[in-house]
Amino acid sequence: MSPLFFFLWTLLTSVSAQLRSGFYVDNCPKAESVVREVLRRAMINDPRSAASVMRLQFHDCFVNGCDASLLLDDTATMLGEKLSLSNINSLRSYQVIDKAKKQVEKICPGIVSCADIIIMASRDAVVLSGGPNWEVKLGRKDSLTASQEDANNIMPSPRDNAIFLINLFDRYNLSVKDMVALSGSHSIGKGRCTSIMFRLYNQSGTGRPDPAIEPKFREKLDYLCPIGGDGNVTGDLDATPYKFDNQYFKDLVNGKGFLNSDQSLFSSDARTREYVEFFSRDEGMFFTAFIEGMLKMGDLQSGRPGEVRKDCRVANTRPMKHMEILYNFSN
Ligand code: HEM
Ligand SMILES: *[C@@H]1O[C@H](CO)[C@@H](O)[C@H](O)[C@H]1NC(C)=O
Ligand SMILES: *[C@@H]1O[C@H](CO)[C@@H](O)[C@H](O)[C@H]1NC(C)=O
Ligand SMILES: *[C@@H]1O[C@H](CO)[C@@H](O)[C@H](O)[C@H]1NC(C)=O
């Protein structure tokens, strides 16, 4: 091993760090309170930013682990994840994470990873929307690269049904219960007409609407999203889109789910329906299961080399081919 390679190698620690709560108590004790305050302020200007920030955890963690790969802007040699199929014109509030990072860098530069900021802010989004609070595990590193191709291949579509989603989440060791509880994140936020046009007018190529949609609710959605209308118009994911509660599950039981992937959890599979009914009746059980799911999802790691980025949009270290090779040797 050449000295230069060895030097580079020791600068980078593996993304597979041991995560624990209170990771920053000694070297950045204010990190969590600063992030929460940034989100609180963002929500005053844009109440939806809570939902948009929380969604970032899902889209980061499912694509090669919770490593803030999602946040990297495209470079001349790398297509990032921001413009992938599920993310383009859809993910938002990246600037809230930028703001939090800037504030945290001011008090303790080079300490707190962007990946951890996503995890903290997602928890805060739930708390500040009236949901439960919990202790997050921290100590993640930020990736050196991102993969648009992986994002395209991995992230689910609003057309997917319960069976597909059960199998997708199972690949991450997330159970049916975890998956249904995590879908309860759609208790807050909005979706675009383009995500539901097919189920309003041509479900599964039948030329007819999804029969699982309650008729009055369908009229409302048809009005919001007419054929040939603006696909960027948004509708609420549940009846209380700024409150983190179990209304989402009550809506599904009543045929008032916004996305096909939501309604399908009640209407197309007995295994998921059981949990939808359970959570619709017991908000406390939903909260408990949701926290468990968020912690499990937050544990996903890629095992690749990482760093603490200075700017969440740009890697400090230019990834090099030989570094990957070196990594494979040392593994
Ligand atoms: C189970 C599979 C899932 C599917 C198929 C799915 C799909 C979607 C879609 C299609 C949208 C609307 C996007 C648009 O129309 O622009 C959306 C929004 C959202 N998703 Fe998911 N999602 C899933 C799971 C999750 C999970 C696990 C989380 C977080 C824990 C999450 C959090 C959110 C939030 C908060 C919004 C609203 C965002 C906003 O208002 O900006 N989703 N999701
Ligand atoms: C799922 O669990 C199995 C068995 O414990 C483990 O080998 C595998 O790495 C886990 N997969 C993920 C994505 O965590
Ligand atoms: C509905 O979808 C099917 C299959 O994707 C397609 O062949 C058909 O043309 C569509 N019908 C309408 C009215 O868009
Ligand atoms: C939504 O708006 C974006 C940005 O203005 C545009 O590029 C895109 O084509 C629009 N999408 C739809 C479905 O209309």
mmCIF file of all heavy atoms in Angstrom, residues 106-124:
data_model
loop_
_atom_site.group_PDB
_atom_site.id
_atom_site.type_symbol
_atom_site.label_atom_id
_atom_site.label_comp_id
_atom_site.label_asym_id
_atom_site.label_seq_id
_atom_site.Cartn_x
_atom_site.Cartn_y
_atom_site.Cartn_z
ATOM 1 N N LYS A 106 -21.361 26.573 12.029
ATOM 2 C CA LYS A 106 -20.939 27.792 12.715
ATOM 3 C C LYS A 106 -20.498 27.483 14.145
ATOM 4 O O LYS A 106 -19.515 28.034 14.621
ATOM 5 C CB LYS A 106 -22.098 28.805 12.734
ATOM 6 C CG LYS A 106 -21.775 30.089 11.985
ATOM 7 C CD LYS A 106 -22.820 31.161 12.258
ATOM 8 C CE LYS A 106 -23.782 31.290 11.076
ATOM 9 N NZ LYS A 106 -24.967 32.110 11.387
ATOM 10 N N ILE A 107 -21.225 26.621 14.826
ATOM 11 C CA ILE A 107 -20.887 26.358 16.238
ATOM 12 C C ILE A 107 -19.871 25.228 16.397
ATOM 13 O O ILE A 107 -19.110 25.216 17.350
ATOM 14 C CB ILE A 107 -22.138 26.079 17.107
ATOM 15 C CG1 ILE A 107 -22.996 24.962 16.510
ATOM 16 C CG2 ILE A 107 -22.968 27.349 17.264
ATOM 17 C CD1 ILE A 107 -24.083 24.481 17.456
ATOM 18 N N CYS A 108 -19.866 24.248 15.460
ATOM 19 C CA CYS A 108 -18.851 23.184 15.565
ATOM 20 C C CYS A 108 -18.513 22.655 14.183
ATOM 21 O O CYS A 108 -19.086 21.672 13.718
ATOM 22 C CB CYS A 108 -19.300 22.048 16.488
ATOM 23 S SG CYS A 108 -21.066 21.852 16.718
ATOM 24 N N PRO A 109 -17.574 23.326 13.520
ATOM 25 C CA PRO A 109 -17.240 22.984 12.129
ATOM 26 C C PRO A 109 -16.671 21.569 11.973
ATOM 27 O O PRO A 109 -15.865 21.129 12.792
ATOM 28 C CB PRO A 109 -16.200 24.049 11.745
ATOM 29 C CG PRO A 109 -15.766 24.690 13.010
ATOM 30 C CD PRO A 109 -16.856 24.508 14.006
ATOM 31 N N GLY A 110 -17.147 20.898 10.910
ATOM 32 C CA GLY A 110 -16.560 19.613 10.540
ATOM 33 C C GLY A 110 -16.931 18.452 11.435
ATOM 34 O O GLY A 110 -16.298 17.405 11.381
ATOM 35 N N ILE A 111 -17.948 18.605 12.256
ATOM 36 C CA ILE A 111 -18.269 17.553 13.231
ATOM 37 C C ILE A 111 -19.521 16.768 12.845
ATOM 38 O O ILE A 111 -19.535 15.538 12.901
ATOM 39 C CB ILE A 111 -18.490 18.176 14.641
ATOM 40 C CG1 ILE A 111 -17.271 18.956 15.105
ATOM 41 C CG2 ILE A 111 -18.897 17.101 15.638
ATOM 42 C CD1 ILE A 111 -16.104 18.110 15.529
ATOM 43 N N VAL A 112 -20.570 17.484 12.450
ATOM 44 C CA VAL A 112 -21.889 16.847 12.309
ATOM 45 C C VAL A 112 -22.168 16.540 10.834
ATOM 46 O O VAL A 112 -22.141 17.439 9.990
ATOM 47 C CB VAL A 112 -22.996 17.759 12.886
ATOM 48 C CG1 VAL A 112 -24.356 17.090 12.764
ATOM 49 C CG2 VAL A 112 -22.691 18.109 14.339
ATOM 50 N N SER A 113 -22.442 15.284 10.543
ATOM 51 C CA SER A 113 -22.649 14.886 9.140
ATOM 52 C C SER A 113 -24.016 15.342 8.633
ATOM 53 O O SER A 113 -24.968 15.505 9.406
ATOM 54 C CB SER A 113 -22.539 13.367 9.007
ATOM 55 O OG SER A 113 -23.593 12.726 9.691
ATOM 56 N N CYS A 114 -24.103 15.509 7.328
ATOM 57 C CA CYS A 114 -25.374 15.848 6.683
ATOM 58 C C CYS A 114 -26.359 14.692 6.839
ATOM 59 O O CYS A 114 -27.568 14.906 6.997
ATOM 60 C CB CYS A 114 -25.144 16.140 5.198
ATOM 61 S SG CYS A 114 -24.021 17.528 4.898
ATOM 62 N N ALA A 115 -25.840 13.478 6.810
ATOM 63 C CA ALA A 115 -26.702 12.296 6.972
ATOM 64 C C ALA A 115 -27.396 12.335 8.327
ATOM 65 O O ALA A 115 -28.591 12.025 8.432
ATOM 66 C CB ALA A 115 -25.865 11.027 6.839
ATOM 67 N N ASP A 116 -26.670 12.717 9.365
ATOM 68 C CA ASP A 116 -27.284 12.832 10.695
ATOM 69 C C ASP A 116 -28.279 13.984 10.761
ATOM 70 O O ASP A 116 -29.292 13.896 11.459
ATOM 71 C CB ASP A 116 -26.203 13.041 11.762
ATOM 72 C CG ASP A 116 -25.549 11.729 12.192
ATOM 73 O OD1 ASP A 116 -26.107 10.653 11.894
ATOM 74 O OD2 ASP A 116 -24.478 11.790 12.848
ATOM 75 N N ILE A 117 -27.993 15.052 10.047
ATOM 76 C CA ILE A 117 -28.921 16.195 10.062
ATOM 77 C C ILE A 117 -30.261 15.792 9.451
ATOM 78 O O ILE A 117 -31.324 16.167 9.957
ATOM 79 C CB ILE A 117 -28.291 17.419 9.344
ATOM 80 C CG1 ILE A 117 -27.139 17.967 10.208
ATOM 81 C CG2 ILE A 117 -29.338 18.507 9.106
ATOM 82 C CD1 ILE A 117 -26.375 19.119 9.584
ATOM 83 N N ILE A 118 -30.231 14.993 8.383
ATOM 84 C CA ILE A 118 -31.491 14.501 7.798
ATOM 85 C C ILE A 118 -32.280 13.703 8.841
ATOM 86 O O ILE A 118 -33.497 13.877 8.988
ATOM 87 C CB ILE A 118 -31.217 13.614 6.560
ATOM 88 C CG1 ILE A 118 -30.647 14.448 5.406
ATOM 89 C CG2 ILE A 118 -32.489 12.891 6.117
ATOM 90 C CD1 ILE A 118 -30.297 13.635 4.168
ATOM 91 N N ILE A 119 -31.579 12.840 9.568
ATOM 92 C CA ILE A 119 -32.242 11.985 10.563
ATOM 93 C C ILE A 119 -32.835 12.826 11.702
ATOM 94 O O ILE A 119 -33.976 12.609 12.120
ATOM 95 C CB ILE A 119 -31.235 10.960 11.139
ATOM 96 C CG1 ILE A 119 -30.693 10.042 10.031
ATOM 97 C CG2 ILE A 119 -31.853 10.163 12.286
ATOM 98 C CD1 ILE A 119 -31.668 9.055 9.466
ATOM 99 N N MET A 120 -32.062 13.799 12.188
ATOM 100 C CA MET A 120 -32.572 14.669 13.260
ATOM 101 C C MET A 120 -33.786 15.451 12.769
ATOM 102 O O MET A 120 -34.808 15.545 13.452
ATOM 103 C CB MET A 120 -31.511 15.701 13.674
ATOM 104 C CG MET A 120 -30.264 15.158 14.308
ATOM 105 S SD MET A 120 -29.187 16.598 14.660
ATOM 106 C CE MET A 120 -27.593 15.871 14.442
ATOM 107 N N ALA A 121 -33.649 16.063 11.589
ATOM 108 C CA ALA A 121 -34.706 16.939 11.078
ATOM 109 C C ALA A 121 -35.982 16.156 10.783
ATOM 110 O O ALA A 121 -37.088 16.683 10.950
ATOM 111 C CB ALA A 121 -34.219 17.664 9.824
ATOM 112 N N SER A 122 -35.853 14.889 10.362
ATOM 113 C CA SER A 122 -37.042 14.067 10.093
ATOM 114 C C SER A 122 -37.796 13.804 11.386
ATOM 115 O O SER A 122 -39.024 13.875 11.420
ATOM 116 C CB SER A 122 -36.637 12.740 9.458
ATOM 117 O OG SER A 122 -36.030 12.959 8.221
ATOM 118 N N ARG A 123 -37.055 13.508 12.433
ATOM 119 C CA ARG A 123 -37.686 13.321 13.754
ATOM 120 C C ARG A 123 -38.359 14.623 14.187
ATOM 121 O O ARG A 123 -39.507 14.626 14.648
ATOM 122 C CB ARG A 123 -36.612 12.879 14.745
ATOM 123 C CG ARG A 123 -37.090 12.589 16.167
ATOM 124 C CD ARG A 123 -36.985 13.805 17.090
ATOM 125 N NE ARG A 123 -35.762 14.563 16.953
ATOM 126 C CZ ARG A 123 -34.628 14.332 17.614
ATOM 127 N NH1 ARG A 123 -34.549 13.333 18.448
ATOM 128 N NH2 ARG A 123 -33.574 15.118 17.413
ATOM 129 N N ASP A 124 -37.638 15.745 14.004
ATOM 130 C CA ASP A 124 -38.192 17.036 14.415
ATOM 131 C C ASP A 124 -39.459 17.378 13.628
ATOM 132 O O ASP A 124 -40.382 18.001 14.163
ATOM 133 C CB ASP A 124 -37.143 18.140 14.226
ATOM 134 C CG ASP A 124 -35.914 17.911 15.102
ATOM 135 O OD1 ASP A 124 -36.035 17.198 16.115
ATOM 136 O OD2 ASP A 124 -34.839 18.448 14.754
#
